mmCIF file of all heavy atoms in Angstrom:
data_model
loop_
_atom_site.group_PDB
_atom_site.id
_atom_site.type_symbol
_atom_site.label_atom_id
_atom_site.label_comp_id
_atom_site.label_asym_id
_atom_site.label_seq_id
_atom_site.Cartn_x
_atom_site.Cartn_y
_atom_site.Cartn_z
ATOM 1 N N VAL A 1 278.720 316.567 105.280
ATOM 2 C CA VAL A 1 277.289 316.733 105.031
ATOM 3 C C VAL A 1 276.471 316.739 106.311
ATOM 4 O O VAL A 1 275.257 316.951 106.266
ATOM 5 C CB VAL A 1 276.740 315.638 104.078
ATOM 6 C CG1 VAL A 1 277.579 315.551 102.807
ATOM 7 C CG2 VAL A 1 276.645 314.293 104.757
ATOM 8 N N LYS A 2 277.116 316.519 107.445
ATOM 9 C CA LYS A 2 276.393 316.520 108.715
ATOM 10 C C LYS A 2 275.711 317.863 108.937
ATOM 11 O O LYS A 2 276.311 318.917 108.739
ATOM 12 C CB LYS A 2 277.352 316.223 109.875
ATOM 13 C CG LYS A 2 277.744 314.775 109.987
ATOM 14 C CD LYS A 2 278.701 314.559 111.155
ATOM 15 C CE LYS A 2 279.139 313.097 111.241
ATOM 16 N NZ LYS A 2 280.132 312.893 112.321
ATOM 17 N N GLY A 3 274.455 317.791 109.361
ATOM 18 C CA GLY A 3 273.693 319.005 109.583
ATOM 19 C C GLY A 3 273.025 319.549 108.335
ATOM 20 O O GLY A 3 272.180 320.437 108.423
ATOM 21 N N ARG A 4 273.405 319.039 107.165
ATOM 22 C CA ARG A 4 272.806 319.497 105.906
ATOM 23 C C ARG A 4 271.993 318.396 105.222
ATOM 24 O O ARG A 4 270.977 318.673 104.593
ATOM 25 C CB ARG A 4 273.899 319.968 104.942
ATOM 26 C CG ARG A 4 274.739 321.104 105.464
ATOM 27 C CD ARG A 4 275.637 321.671 104.361
ATOM 28 N NE ARG A 4 276.600 320.699 103.857
ATOM 29 C CZ ARG A 4 276.690 320.325 102.587
ATOM 30 N NH1 ARG A 4 275.874 320.827 101.682
ATOM 31 N NH2 ARG A 4 277.616 319.445 102.208
ATOM 32 N N PHE A 5 272.439 317.157 105.325
ATOM 33 C CA PHE A 5 271.777 316.033 104.669
ATOM 34 C C PHE A 5 271.080 315.169 105.720
ATOM 35 O O PHE A 5 271.576 315.010 106.831
ATOM 36 C CB PHE A 5 272.783 315.158 103.921
ATOM 37 C CG PHE A 5 273.382 315.778 102.691
ATOM 38 C CD1 PHE A 5 273.239 317.138 102.398
ATOM 39 C CD2 PHE A 5 274.111 314.996 101.808
ATOM 40 C CE1 PHE A 5 273.785 317.693 101.270
ATOM 41 C CE2 PHE A 5 274.677 315.536 100.675
ATOM 42 C CZ PHE A 5 274.523 316.888 100.408
ATOM 43 N N THR A 6 269.958 314.579 105.331
ATOM 44 C CA THR A 6 269.230 313.666 106.208
ATOM 45 C C THR A 6 268.809 312.439 105.412
ATOM 46 O O THR A 6 268.155 312.559 104.372
ATOM 47 C CB THR A 6 267.978 314.332 106.798
ATOM 48 O OG1 THR A 6 268.349 315.515 107.511
ATOM 49 C CG2 THR A 6 267.272 313.384 107.755
ATOM 50 N N ILE A 7 269.179 311.270 105.916
ATOM 51 C CA ILE A 7 268.760 310.016 105.291
ATOM 52 C C ILE A 7 267.580 309.459 106.070
ATOM 53 O O ILE A 7 267.553 309.523 107.302
ATOM 54 C CB ILE A 7 269.918 308.990 105.240
ATOM 55 C CG1 ILE A 7 269.519 307.770 104.426
ATOM 56 C CG2 ILE A 7 270.408 308.621 106.632
ATOM 57 C CD1 ILE A 7 270.693 306.810 104.148
ATOM 58 N N SER A 8 266.591 308.948 105.345
ATOM 59 C CA SER A 8 265.410 308.418 106.014
ATOM 60 C C SER A 8 264.836 307.277 105.184
ATOM 61 O O SER A 8 265.127 307.135 103.993
ATOM 62 C CB SER A 8 264.356 309.512 106.205
ATOM 63 O OG SER A 8 263.928 310.022 104.959
ATOM 64 N N ARG A 9 263.998 306.497 105.853
ATOM 65 C CA ARG A 9 263.397 305.346 105.173
ATOM 66 C C ARG A 9 261.885 305.427 105.248
ATOM 67 O O ARG A 9 261.327 305.797 106.277
ATOM 68 C CB ARG A 9 263.871 304.052 105.842
ATOM 69 C CG ARG A 9 263.444 302.775 105.139
ATOM 70 C CD ARG A 9 263.481 301.565 106.074
ATOM 71 N NE ARG A 9 264.620 301.530 106.952
ATOM 72 C CZ ARG A 9 265.707 300.811 106.753
ATOM 73 N NH1 ARG A 9 265.830 300.080 105.659
ATOM 74 N NH2 ARG A 9 266.688 300.806 107.626
ATOM 75 N N ASP A 10 261.238 305.076 104.178
ATOM 76 C CA ASP A 10 259.785 304.931 104.156
ATOM 77 C C ASP A 10 259.504 303.448 103.935
ATOM 78 O O ASP A 10 259.568 302.954 102.816
ATOM 79 C CB ASP A 10 259.174 305.774 103.033
ATOM 80 C CG ASP A 10 257.656 305.704 103.018
ATOM 81 O OD1 ASP A 10 257.083 304.730 103.533
ATOM 82 O OD2 ASP A 10 257.040 306.640 102.481
ATOM 83 N N ASN A 11 259.215 302.734 105.023
ATOM 84 C CA ASN A 11 259.048 301.286 104.923
ATOM 85 C C ASN A 11 257.843 300.895 104.071
ATOM 86 O O ASN A 11 257.868 299.897 103.360
ATOM 87 C CB ASN A 11 258.915 300.671 106.312
ATOM 88 C CG ASN A 11 260.227 300.681 107.062
ATOM 89 O OD1 ASN A 11 261.292 300.490 106.469
ATOM 90 N ND2 ASN A 11 260.181 300.912 108.360
ATOM 91 N N ALA A 12 256.813 301.704 104.149
ATOM 92 C CA ALA A 12 255.604 301.391 103.394
ATOM 93 C C ALA A 12 255.874 301.422 101.894
ATOM 94 O O ALA A 12 255.282 300.666 101.132
ATOM 95 C CB ALA A 12 254.497 302.364 103.764
ATOM 96 N N GLU A 13 256.766 302.318 101.491
ATOM 97 C CA GLU A 13 257.055 302.465 100.063
ATOM 98 C C GLU A 13 258.348 301.777 99.663
ATOM 99 O O GLU A 13 258.721 301.786 98.494
ATOM 100 C CB GLU A 13 257.149 303.958 99.718
ATOM 101 C CG GLU A 13 255.860 304.727 99.978
ATOM 102 C CD GLU A 13 254.751 304.334 99.032
ATOM 103 O OE1 GLU A 13 255.051 303.908 97.887
ATOM 104 O OE2 GLU A 13 253.583 304.427 99.427
ATOM 105 N N ASP A 14 259.067 301.189 100.636
ATOM 106 C CA ASP A 14 260.361 300.571 100.346
ATOM 107 C C ASP A 14 261.292 301.549 99.659
ATOM 108 O O ASP A 14 261.925 301.221 98.642
ATOM 109 C CB ASP A 14 260.202 299.313 99.482
ATOM 110 C CG ASP A 14 260.267 298.042 100.309
ATOM 111 O OD1 ASP A 14 260.794 298.093 101.439
ATOM 112 O OD2 ASP A 14 259.804 297.001 99.825
ATOM 113 N N THR A 15 261.342 302.760 100.195
ATOM 114 C CA THR A 15 262.243 303.768 99.640
ATOM 115 C C THR A 15 263.152 304.320 100.734
ATOM 116 O O THR A 15 262.801 304.328 101.910
ATOM 117 C CB THR A 15 261.479 304.938 98.999
ATOM 118 O OG1 THR A 15 260.661 305.552 100.003
ATOM 119 C CG2 THR A 15 260.613 304.485 97.850
ATOM 120 N N VAL A 16 264.307 304.755 100.302
ATOM 121 C CA VAL A 16 265.242 305.450 101.175
ATOM 122 C C VAL A 16 265.501 306.804 100.535
ATOM 123 O O VAL A 16 265.856 306.879 99.355
ATOM 124 C CB VAL A 16 266.560 304.674 101.339
ATOM 125 C CG1 VAL A 16 267.550 305.487 102.156
ATOM 126 C CG2 VAL A 16 266.293 303.338 102.012
ATOM 127 N N ASN A 17 265.318 307.858 101.314
ATOM 128 C CA ASN A 17 265.466 309.207 100.787
ATOM 129 C C ASN A 17 266.698 309.891 101.355
ATOM 130 O O ASN A 17 267.147 309.581 102.464
ATOM 131 C CB ASN A 17 264.229 310.035 101.144
ATOM 132 C CG ASN A 17 262.966 309.449 100.553
ATOM 133 O OD1 ASN A 17 262.945 309.057 99.390
ATOM 134 N ND2 ASN A 17 261.918 309.370 101.355
ATOM 135 N N LEU A 18 267.212 310.818 100.593
ATOM 136 C CA LEU A 18 268.311 311.655 101.051
ATOM 137 C C LEU A 18 267.895 313.106 100.832
ATOM 138 O O LEU A 18 267.860 313.584 99.696
ATOM 139 C CB LEU A 18 269.601 311.347 100.289
ATOM 140 C CG LEU A 18 270.835 312.101 100.800
ATOM 141 C CD1 LEU A 18 271.218 311.607 102.192
ATOM 142 C CD2 LEU A 18 272.013 311.912 99.835
ATOM 143 N N GLN A 19 267.543 313.770 101.917
ATOM 144 C CA GLN A 19 267.189 315.185 101.861
ATOM 145 C C GLN A 19 268.473 315.987 101.961
ATOM 146 O O GLN A 19 269.216 315.848 102.934
ATOM 147 C CB GLN A 19 266.244 315.547 103.009
ATOM 148 C CG GLN A 19 265.946 317.025 103.129
ATOM 149 C CD GLN A 19 265.116 317.557 101.972
ATOM 150 O OE1 GLN A 19 264.173 316.914 101.539
ATOM 151 N NE2 GLN A 19 265.484 318.738 101.467
ATOM 152 N N MET A 20 268.717 316.819 100.958
ATOM 153 C CA MET A 20 269.959 317.593 100.911
ATOM 154 C C MET A 20 269.626 319.081 100.962
ATOM 155 O O MET A 20 268.949 319.592 100.058
ATOM 156 C CB MET A 20 270.733 317.257 99.635
ATOM 157 C CG MET A 20 271.023 315.774 99.475
ATOM 158 S SD MET A 20 272.091 315.402 98.069
ATOM 159 C CE MET A 20 271.047 315.896 96.729
ATOM 160 N N ASN A 21 270.058 319.741 102.014
ATOM 161 C CA ASN A 21 269.827 321.175 102.182
ATOM 162 C C ASN A 21 271.152 321.926 102.148
ATOM 163 O O ASN A 21 272.220 321.328 102.270
ATOM 164 C CB ASN A 21 269.124 321.446 103.514
ATOM 165 C CG ASN A 21 267.760 320.793 103.598
ATOM 166 O OD1 ASN A 21 267.035 320.691 102.615
ATOM 167 N ND2 ASN A 21 267.416 320.333 104.791
ATOM 168 N N ALA A 22 271.051 323.223 101.986
ATOM 169 C CA ALA A 22 272.249 324.080 101.979
ATOM 170 C C ALA A 22 273.310 323.515 101.047
ATOM 171 O O ALA A 22 274.485 323.380 101.431
ATOM 172 C CB ALA A 22 272.790 324.247 103.398
ATOM 173 N N LEU A 23 272.908 323.180 99.851
ATOM 174 C CA LEU A 23 273.814 322.548 98.905
ATOM 175 C C LEU A 23 274.993 323.445 98.560
ATOM 176 O O LEU A 23 274.863 324.685 98.496
ATOM 177 C CB LEU A 23 273.051 322.164 97.632
ATOM 178 C CG LEU A 23 272.151 320.933 97.760
ATOM 179 C CD1 LEU A 23 271.150 320.867 96.614
ATOM 180 C CD2 LEU A 23 272.994 319.672 97.810
ATOM 181 N N LYS A 24 276.121 322.807 98.315
ATOM 182 C CA LYS A 24 277.355 323.500 97.962
ATOM 183 C C LYS A 24 277.851 322.972 96.619
ATOM 184 O O LYS A 24 277.563 321.823 96.268
ATOM 185 C CB LYS A 24 278.427 323.255 99.032
ATOM 186 C CG LYS A 24 278.024 323.674 100.430
ATOM 187 C CD LYS A 24 279.117 323.321 101.433
ATOM 188 C CE LYS A 24 278.722 323.732 102.846
ATOM 189 N NZ LYS A 24 279.782 323.395 103.828
ATOM 190 N N PRO A 25 278.616 323.778 95.886
ATOM 191 C CA PRO A 25 279.155 323.288 94.605
ATOM 192 C C PRO A 25 279.935 321.983 94.758
ATOM 193 O O PRO A 25 279.911 321.137 93.851
ATOM 194 C CB PRO A 25 280.055 324.439 94.154
ATOM 195 C CG PRO A 25 279.431 325.653 94.755
ATOM 196 C CD PRO A 25 278.909 325.205 96.096
#
């Protein structure tokens, strides 16, 4: 998933997101 997925944190909202691009089956 390197180069396609990005993990990030929003401290204000206490959330952790996973942005997934170029998805594959």
Side-chain angles (χ1 to χ4, degrees):
V1 308
K2 284 180 182 177
R4 300 190 297 122
F5 290 12
T6 303
I7 188 171
S8 61
R9 186 201 319 261
D10 183 337
N11 288 323
E13 299 292 332
D14 260 340
T15 60
V16 175
N17 299 316
L18 185 68
Q19 173 68 42
M20 304 186 295
N21 298 325
L23 285 164
K24 303 177 180 180

